[in-house]
Amino acid sequence: MGRFLLVCRLAARDLRRRPAEAVLLLLAITAATTTLTLGLILHGVTDHPYQQTRAATAGPDVMAVFYPPTSKTNSPVDLAGLTALTRRPGVTGHSGPYPVTMAVLQANGHTAGAEAVGRDRAPAQIDQPRLTQGSWVGDGGVVIERSFAEALGVHAGDPVTLNGRSFRVAGVAVTAAVPPYPQVCTSGCEPNTPRQAGSSTGLVWLTQAETRSLATSAHPLYYFLNLRLADPASSQAFAMAYMNEAGQSLGSTGPFLNWWQVISEQDAHLVKGEQQVLVVGSWLLGVLAVASVVVLVGGRIADQTRRVGLLKAVGGAPELIAAVLLTEYVALAVLAAAAGLTGGWLAAPLLTSPGAGLVGTAGAPSVTVSTVVLVVAVAVAVAGAATFVPALRAARTSTVRALADAAHLPRRRARLIAVSARLPVPLLLGLRLAARRPRRVLLSLASVAITASGIVAVLIAHARLNAQQLSGSAGLDNPETDRVKQVMLGVTIMLVVLAAINAVFITWATVLDTRRSSALARALGATRRQVTVGLSAAQVLPALAGALLGVPGGFGVFLVVKHGGTMAYPPFWWLIALVLGTLLVVAGLTAIPAGIGARRPVAEILQSETT
């Protein structure tokens, strides 16, 4: 039999003998690779929906916003500047200028600011919003941008008020000329045309006459002008050149120009926020997957010591032993990478919806060769890094020692004995178990700290979103933050599940390592309950430290993930509840394998020690 075939057969037989552990490890790495795949393939998925919307609405290449002079808010806009703009070289068509004013919109108990744009009843050649419900503007009828309408919960035919005047919703539409709610004012809301205080801002269309009648001295008219260029790719250069010239000649009355590429990027914010969360979450899940592999390998080697000795006794070299162990976990990593790539590709359409502000769909995201290589490389690196040291240690174990499978003599430290001597028996056992296995304690601490960091980041995000909602939109939903919250919740659930698996793995590995010392403690008078509580305490102590470290860690994760804006601080009692809840969950999870290990008869364990 060839060496390669022998290694593969031994690894396959070992995996078949312990299918539950193999499946759990496969799930741990699959969770990390699925999240990483999603983060990688979401890049650019909103380009196609925006282009579809742009084609369906005859979207402009450049949109110009002309404001009244800042020093005299009642002065009219210099319309001569708009005419000059339409005659510049490279401009092949225009629509407008259309009058615009800020208004207070009330509907379904919500109050929000609205940019009211005056439009003609006849369709425009450039920027004609695409109706998804109802009809176009008319007397007493207002058309609402679709994402704004969804946030308000209104449909065609519903009543609304603008500056206290009653209107009915004539229709709902989308446009490629302005970013959707809640980013409408990012297209150029200047200080002299402020948002309605204490509200989010959306976009609505009315007739020009009704828009002019809504203007006030506080919110005078300004104008939108849509331009089409001979070369759409030169939109940015055209806009920047004109704003520089206009700023020099007109000063504070200069226009604000926005180009279609910027609007496309702003429309993609829905998916960009999700992508950022998923990439950070994938690395957190990857670290937890490493911890899972390390603990599982350690536990399996502790349970396979005699088998390692038998392989070495029949001629297996240390390199063969290490190769068998590495092959097991690298094979699982490759399978997990394949499952993660498939799962990410199937789940991506659930996250690639461009939102109500666009028409069309992104389609199935493509999985490129670079994505496949990166995901497989990460999965193999996770498995290899976690397996290398335990496999090398097992391979170097002497044959006689492995066959004897004798208990390891504990390291006795006088200071530890002095500190723990006066503690209750369960805490005494738990403290000594933790102190004698520092590497495993660090793994447990890191696992809890990473999970707690993810949960704290979610709590911070919720606190920030609640603060924005209370101060901003009178209860209006924000489609960006809602989707980011859902993704963060999903990543957090996966973190919690992996951390729970790690807690069970670590406790079971400790049960295997300490079966003889625990049996000896029971033989000397310790009860089964005291041993069980001691094993749980050995995991609760590092869990406490990990939960405390997770609080500042969560703020760090949030700083990496946050999509602009300011930091928010969750209520202090949320953090206290997190620490206490972590301890209770860890204690409950570890009590199960600890209790199972304590059921084995003392005489049976001690007898196997002497045989």
Side-chain angles (χ1 to χ4, degrees):
M1 183 184 297
R3 185 182 182 88
F4 176 77
L5 181 59
L6 175 61
V7 169
C8 292
R9 290 183 64 177
L10 289 173
R13 179 169 296 182
D14 198 22
L15 290 173
R16 287 198 302 268
R17 291 179 62 187
R18 294 169 177 81
E21 295 174 355
V23 169
L24 288 175
L25 183 58
L26 185 67
L27 292 175
I29 302 179
T30 299
T33 54
T34 300
T35 311
L36 179 59
T37 301
L38 283 170
L40 293 174
I41 67 177
L42 286 180
H43 180 68
V45 296
T46 57
D47 292 345
H48 187 54
Y50 179 79
Q51 293 296 344
Q52 288 180 313
T53 307
R54 182 170 153 79
T57 62
D61 299 320
V62 174
M63 190 192 75
V65 187
F66 286 80
Y67 300 100
T70 56
S71 58
K72 298 178 181 179
T73 57
N74 292 321
S75 301
V77 174
D78 181 12
L79 296 181
L82 283 73
T83 303
L85 181 58
T86 62
R87 297 174 180 172
R88 288 181 67 87
V91 178
T92 60
H94 72 278
S95 66
Y98 299 117
V100 188
T101 189
M102 297 295 295
V104 179
L105 184 148
Q106 292 180 318
N108 284 344
H110 301 298
T111 300
E115 279 192 309
V117 183
R119 297 296 297 259
D120 300 321
R121 288 182 173 87
Q125 294 298 316
I126 302 174
D127 182 32
Q128 177 57 43
R130 171 76 174 271
L131 287 167
T132 59
Q133 290 183 32
S135 58
W136 188 231
V137 298
D139 292 336
V142 57
V143 177
I144 304 180
E145 188 270 324
R146 185 166 66 172
S147 57
F148 190 36
E150 288 193 358
L152 293 167
V154 297
H155 305 85
D158 291 346
V160 298
T161 64
L162 288 168
N163 286 352
R165 293 175 51 187
S166 297
F167 292 85
R168 63 175 180 82
V169 179
V172 177
V174 298
T175 180
V178 178
Y181 170 84
Q183 301 183 82
V184 170
C185 275
T186 58
S187 63
C189 277
E190 297 289 56
N192 61 326
T193 57
R195 300 183 186 210
Q196 174 64 25
S199 67
S200 296
T201 302
L203 182 68
V204 300
W205 297 275
L206 303 94
T207 63
Q208 292 200 33
E210 290 172 333
T211 299
R212 295 179 189 278
S213 68
L214 291 174
T216 63
S217 58
H219 295 156
L221 290 175
Y222 52 106
Y223 290 85
F224 284 178
L225 177 66
N226 301 305
L227 301 176
R228 178 167 293 162
L229 305 183
D231 180 15
S234 65
S235 298
Q236 179 178 359
F238 176 91
M240 297 302 295
Y242 184 81
M243 283 194 290
N244 290 336
E245 295 176 14
Q248 293 173 2
S249 60
L250 300 177
S252 61
T253 64
F256 178 91
L257 270 64
N258 206 5
W259 49 96
W260 67 269
Q261 293 93 334
V262 172
I263 300 173
S264 176
E265 292 177 0
Q266 291 169 330
D267 279 319
H269 281 183
L270 279 175
V271 177
K272 286 184 177 179
E274 297 171 339
Q275 181 187 22
Q276 197 169 11
V277 172
L278 287 167
V279 170
V280 175
S282 66
W283 294 116
L284 294 178
L285 289 168
V287 174
L288 282 182
V290 171
S292 297
V293 178
V294 169
V295 174
L296 184 57
V297 170
R300 291 182 70 169
I301 289 177
D303 199 29
Q304 292 178 287
T305 305
R306 190 181 296 275
R307 183 168 183 265
V308 170
L310 290 173
L311 288 175
K312 299 183 75 173
V314 296
E319 294 81 4
L320 177 67
I321 306 299
V324 170
L325 295 173
L326 285 171
T327 300
E328 289 183 33
Y329 298 104
V330 169
L332 287 176
V334 173
L335 289 176
L341 287 165
T342 304
W345 180 72
L346 293 175
L350 302 177
L351 301 175
T352 55
S353 169
L358 298 173
V359 296
T361 59
S366 59
V367 180
T368 63
V369 175
S370 60
T371 300
V372 173
V373 172
L374 180 58
V375 171
V376 173
V378 169
V380 172
V382 165
T387 310
F388 180 75
V389 174
L392 190 62
R393 188 184 302 118
R396 290 179 175 178
T397 303
S398 68
T399 305
V400 175
R401 183 177 179 181
L403 289 173
D405 195 14
H408 298 284
L409 293 177
R411 298 177 181 177
R412 303 187 183 277
R413 298 181 177 90
R415 183 175 300 178
L416 174 63
I417 294 174
V419 170
S420 61
R422 298 182 181 276
L423 293 176
V425 173
L427 291 180
L428 182 150
L429 295 174
L431 181 61
R432 292 188 178 183
L433 287 175
R436 289 168 180 171
R437 290 160 180 81
R439 287 188 295 270
R440 194 166 291 165
V441 168
L442 290 176
L443 282 175
S444 179
L445 188 151
S447 175
V448 174
I450 292 169
T451 306
S453 297
I455 297 175
V456 170
V458 172
L459 294 179
I460 296 171
H462 277 283
R464 177 186 171 192
L465 298 175
N466 291 339
Q468 289 176 345
Q469 193 173 51
L470 290 174
S471 64
S473 60
L476 289 184
D477 291 332
N478 186 323
E480 291 183 32
T481 55
D482 287 348
R483 289 176 61 160
V484 170
K485 283 167 59 177
Q486 293 171 2
V487 175
M488 292 183 72
L489 178 61
V491 172
T492 303
I493 291 174
M494 287 190 286
L495 286 172
V496 171
V497 171
L498 279 185
I501 293 174
N502 281 352
V504 174
F505 279 172
I506 290 172
T507 305
W508 184 247
T510 305
V511 168
L512 294 176
D513 286 349
T514 62
R515 57 186 181 271
R516 296 180 179 87
S517 60
S518 298
L520 184 60
R522 289 168 59 189
L524 295 176
T527 64
R528 180 187 301 176
R529 181 177 182 180
Q530 288 174 331
V531 172
T532 301
V533 174
L535 288 168
S536 296
Q539 309 308 319
V540 170
L541 293 175
L544 174 61
L548 295 175
L549 289 175
V551 174
F555 283 90
V557 171
F558 182 79
L559 288 174
V560 174
V561 173
K562 75 171 184 173
H563 211 51
T566 57
M567 176 68 73
Y569 298 92
F572 185 71
W573 70 268
W574 287 10
L575 303 179
I576 296 296
L578 169 65
V579 174
L580 296 179
T582 300
L583 297 181
L584 290 176
V585 171
V586 171
L589 288 172
T590 56
I592 298 173
I596 294 174
R599 290 180 181 177
R600 190 176 177 185
V602 174
E604 179 182 339
I605 299 174
L606 295 180
Q607 184 178 9
S608 65
E609 169 74 13
T610 59
T611 57

